[in-house]
């Protein structure tokens, strides 16, 4: 018996050692934690239950038969984050560069399958050189098995990818299919082909960071949701983030007690909107002043900054926030902002998270770049996402809501449950000046007459009362009462039930 116990401990020690002291030191020298250190930071103390510690690869080619490390380059299992169950896998770059083998993939698939059975989030920590070349097609088959699990888990349990090292080639498609991607600056990379291949094929000279670094993907491409300074910050923020999400599509997000009164008036909001309709203001200030304790977890803050998305709590319960940002492009909808918001709205709808929308949108961004880039299709994604969503939807129009963009932003016509407007709201087909120049084209040369007509149009149509008269706006509210009115609406909608017609699945305009 003692001999067996000794053998067990030796095996465990070999697995915990990963690729050995030298490789662990090399990992630390790059400013990166090891796979096990990351899991320790992510999960509650002593909550991790590891699976498949003794799994080894089955490859005998290219001298691999003599190179076996227990665990085979990935640590898998489950534990808790703030007391709530999560499944996790963490790739170990110190073992074969974290490369994915057939056995490595099977370990990941096992925890993903179990997460679906019990209904718990999956958090994947990626730090891998890609497919294990020595295994050839068996490694590619392993990737495809993981991809299939990502697809089956989509909309069933939240999936979060934390990129903490290289992620290249086919490996990027697993994170791409998860719900959220977090990266680490100057440490993690995502690209389909690396800089050397790019140089060979297109003759472009580009660095790893420029091609697929955290800043590139969180600002330009929008592939990543957030970029953090280091591993520690990333993992601590993931802990905070997971706490806002439901465990699965069968459960609600956890409610948290708040000391912030739901009937709190915020008098400063009465002066938030400038008297000049062309002057911007910061929509983030409004969000922070109406949500619980001003705590807003913003997603993709550096990408498509003309729209804001993120999670907060109102009355202790998680809500998804979507808001136009007048500080950037006057809050216009464009290709990137439409895609960004549509993806977020669909996630909220998957997991029964109510959506609160703050509207100040003068329309869709004009120009050949947008039209040739298919703004029609991309704008339709946001329209489609709001229209198919069956979760509670509360909308507040603060200022401009013009044209088709008014329809798109969770209007009453797209099954918005409660639609409020501030007294400053301008709900119309277009701005007064543009409308008058079309209607009274014959008076175009008479500046005084045009100015008079513009003011007349503003008084008659650029108000919330025409929409209110038709029931498209449920109430015109004082800005300072916004928090109270939203919280009451969400409480009323808590048991809302609505179903879309039966279908295999929809055909969103991709």
């Amino acid at each position: 018996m003692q001999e067996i116990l000794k053998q067990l401990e030796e095996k465990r020690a070999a697995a915990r050692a990963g690729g050995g002291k030298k490789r662990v030191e090399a990992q630390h020298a790059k400013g990166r934690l090891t796979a096990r250190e990351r899991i320790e930071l992510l999960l509650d103390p002593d909550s991790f239950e590891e699976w498949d510690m003794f799994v080894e690869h089955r490859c005998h080619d290219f001298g691999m038969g003599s190179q076996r490390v227990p665990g085979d380059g990935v640590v898998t299992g489950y534990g808790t984050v703030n007391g709530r169950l999560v499944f996790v896998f963490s790739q170990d770059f110190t073992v074969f560069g974290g490369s994915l083998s057939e056995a490595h993939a099977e370990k990941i698939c096992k925890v993903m399958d179990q997460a679906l059975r019990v209904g718990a989030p999956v958090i994947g920590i990626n730090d891998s050189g890609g497919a294990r070349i020595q295994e050839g097609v068996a490694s590619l088959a392993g990737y495809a098995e993981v991809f299939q699990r990502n697809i089956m888990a989509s909309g069933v349990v939240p999936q979060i990818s934390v990129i903490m090292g290289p992620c290249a080639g086919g490996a990027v498609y697993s994170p791409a299919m998860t719900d959220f991607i977090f990266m680490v600056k100057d440490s993690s990379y995502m690209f389909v082909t690396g800089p050397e291949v790019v140089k060979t094929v297109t003759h472009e000279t580009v660095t790893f960071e420029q091609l697929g670094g955290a800043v590139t993907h969180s600002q330009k491409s929008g592939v990543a949701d957030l970029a953090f300074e280091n591993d520690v910050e990333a993992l601590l923020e993931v802990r905070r983030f997971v706490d806002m999400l439901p465990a699965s599509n069968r459960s609600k997000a956890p409610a948290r007690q708040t000391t912030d009164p739901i009937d709190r008036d915020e008098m400063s909001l009465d002066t938030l909107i400038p008297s000049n309709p062309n002057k911007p203001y910061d929509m983030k200030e409004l969000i922070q002043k109406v949500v619980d304790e001003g705590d807003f977890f913003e997603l993709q803050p550096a990408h498509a900054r003309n729209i804001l998305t993120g999670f907060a709590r109102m009355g202790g319960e998680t809500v998804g926030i979507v808001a136009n940002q007048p500080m950037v492009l006057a809050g216009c909808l464009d290709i990137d902002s439409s895609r960004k918001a549509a993806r977020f709205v669909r996630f909220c709808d998957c997991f029964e998270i109510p959506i609160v929308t703050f509207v100040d949108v003068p329309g869709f961004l004009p120009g050949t770049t947008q039209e040739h880039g298919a703004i029609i299709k991309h704008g339709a994604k946001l329209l489609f996402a709001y229209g198919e969503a069956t979760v509670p939807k509360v909308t507040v129009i603060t200022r401009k809501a013009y044209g088709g963009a008014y329809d798109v932003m969770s209007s009453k016509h797209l099954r918005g449950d409660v639609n409020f407007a501030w007294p400053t709201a301008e709900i119309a087909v277009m701005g007064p000046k543009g409308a008058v120049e079309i209607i009274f084209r014959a008076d175009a040369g008479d500046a005084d007459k045009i100015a008079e007509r513009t003011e007349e149009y503003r008084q008659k149509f650029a108000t919330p009362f025409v929409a209110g008269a038709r029931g498209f706006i449920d109430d015109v509210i004082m800005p300072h009462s916004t928090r109270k009115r939203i919280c009451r609406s969400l409480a009323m909608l808590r048991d809302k039930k609505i179903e879309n017609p039966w279908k295999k699945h929809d055909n969103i305009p991709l």
Side-chain angles (χ1 to χ4, degrees), residues 40-288:
E40 282 176 25
L41 259 179
L42 174 66
L43 301 180
D44 297 337
D46 301 319
S47 72
F48 182 50
E49 289 284 330
E50 185 171 351
W51 281 2
D52 291 335
M53 180 184 264
F54 309 121
V55 165
E56 296 177 354
H57 69 76
R58 308 175 196 109
C59 180
H60 298 281
D61 299 317
F62 306 104
M64 290 296 288
S66 60
Q67 300 178 60
R68 298 188 190 278
V69 179
D72 201 37
V74 64
V75 183
T76 61
Y78 65 91
T80 59
V81 172
N82 298 321
R84 300 173 66 229
L85 176 67
V86 298
F87 284 80
V88 63
F89 65 86
S90 181
Q91 293 179 315
D92 188 350
F93 195 79
T94 70
V95 178
F96 306 121
S99 59
L100 184 134
S101 68
E102 185 179 32
H104 180 127
E106 286 170 356
K107 288 181 64 174
I108 294 173
C109 290
K110 185 191 279 191
V111 292
M112 292 185 74
D113 288 342
Q114 192 64 24
L116 258 71
R117 290 189 197 105
V118 303
V122 178
I123 302 171
I125 300 174
N126 297 70
D127 188 357
S128 168
R132 195 169 299 171
I133 298 168
Q134 294 90 334
E135 291 201 15
V137 73
S139 173
L140 299 180
Y143 266 128
E145 292 288 347
V146 175
F147 298 159
Q148 186 63 44
R149 265 64 174 193
N150 290 131
I151 295 163
M152 292 297 101
S154 182
V156 181
V157 295
Q159 301 179 79
I160 299 168
S161 295
V162 192
I163 315 299
M164 293 192 144
C167 189
V172 298
Y173 290 109
S174 175
M177 288 186 285
T178 61
D179 299 305
F180 302 101
I181 299 175
F182 300 138
M183 296 183 73
V184 180
K185 293 176 185 176
D186 302 314
S187 177
S188 60
Y189 312 101
M190 292 179 76
F191 37 67
V192 175
T193 53
E196 290 179 10
V197 175
V198 169
K199 188 170 185 180
T200 302
V201 176
T202 69
H203 307 294
E204 294 174 276
T205 301
V206 64
T207 66
F208 281 87
E209 191 64 33
Q210 290 167 336
L211 182 63
V215 172
T216 295
H217 284 313
S218 61
Q219 288 184 10
K220 293 182 182 177
S221 72
V223 166
D225 292 280
L226 285 167
F228 297 106
E229 295 297 329
N230 52 58
D231 283 15
V232 175
E233 184 191 10
L235 293 165
L236 293 179
E237 285 298 298
V238 170
R239 282 180 60 86
R240 176 180 160 226
F241 181 65
V242 170
D243 210 32
M244 288 185 161
L245 305 182
S248 73
N249 62 0
R250 301 193 299 269
S251 61
K252 293 228 170 192
R256 294 282 182 259
Q257 283 192 328
T258 178
T259 56
D260 196 347
I262 61 171
D263 60 352
R264 168 174 57 82
D265 285 336
E266 183 58 58
M267 302 309 294
S268 65
L269 293 181
D270 288 348
T271 55
L272 179 66
I273 304 293
S275 54
N276 181 346
N278 297 318
K279 192 174 178 184
Y281 61 94
D282 191 354
M283 185 65 86
K284 206 178 295 187
E285 181 183 343
L286 165 57
I287 295 169
Q288 289 169 336

